[in-house]
Amino acid sequence: MSADCIFCKIAAGEIPSRRVYEDDDIIAFHDINPWAPVHFLIVPKMHITSMAQLEEKHAALMGRMMTLAPRLALEQGCEPYPEGGFRIVINTGKNGGQEVPHLHVHVLGGARPWKHG
Ligand code: AMP
Ligand code: ZN
C-alpha cells in the first residue's frame, strides 16, 4: 500500500466504492465519473504506479485482470460481442492522460452515444 494513494485506500476499504468484483489480488469498482453507460475500473490491490512500472513478475496478475474484463463487462450490462462489446483503456503517464497514479484498466461499454470517446 502506498500512502495517500486513493486506489490503495479503496482496495483497503478505507474509501467507499461501488464494487463490481473482488478477490485477494484484484478489485473492480464503478468509475465515479462515468463516460459511458457501463464504466468500471479493474485495479490490482498491489500498488503498481502505471503500466510503465510493469515487470515480468506482474504478468500473471495482468493476465487475470485482462481475462476478467470480458466476464465483468457482460455482468455489468455490456451487450455481447460483436454487436455490443466494450472498450479497454489503460492511461499511462502524463501524456497518456493518467490522473490516478495506481495502475487501472478502464472498461467502457453500453449503448452509444457516450459522454467521451
Ligand atoms: P485515469 O485518468 O486513467 O487515471 O482515470 C482515473 C479514473 O478514476 C477517472 O475516470 C476518475 O473518474 C476515477 N476515479 C477517481 N476517484 C475515484 C473514486 N474515488 N472512485 C471511483 N472512481 C474514481
Ligand atoms: Zn496505490
Side-chain angles (χ1 to χ4, degrees):
M1 170 141 176
S2 177
D4 295 327
C5 171
I6 188 167
F7 286 177
C8 281
K9 288 183 178 166
I10 287 176
E14 292 172 12
I15 292 178
S17 66
R18 288 177 54 222
R19 194 191 312 164
V20 166
Y21 174 85
E22 182 167 11
D23 65 30
D24 287 348
D25 305 313
I26 296 167
I27 186 165
F29 51 88
H30 291 281
D31 196 291
I32 206 167
N33 185 19
W35 294 13
V38 176
H39 185 178
F40 62 89
L41 306 173
I42 304 178
V43 180
K45 288 187 172 177
M46 166 195 291
H47 183 88
I48 304 169
T49 305
S50 81
M51 289 288 285
Q53 283 73 36
L54 277 184
E55 299 175 23
E56 190 61 34
K57 68 184 179 191
H58 301 126
L61 175 63
M62 279 307 291
R64 289 204 50 244
M65 288 167 56
M66 297 310 276
T67 51
L68 261 175
R71 182 186 126 194
L72 298 181
L74 287 174
E75 285 179 12
Q76 293 306 312
C78 292
E79 295 298 324
Y81 178 91
E83 289 79 12
F86 51 85
R87 177 177 290 180
I88 295 283
V89 174
I90 310 179
N91 296 324
T92 304
K94 194 174 171 189
N95 287 346
Q98 185 179 7
E99 291 178 358
V100 175
H102 179 131
L103 176 62
H104 51 282
V105 177
H106 293 259
V107 182
L108 301 129
R112 289 180 177 269
W114 294 355
K115 202 166 154 191
H116 308 286

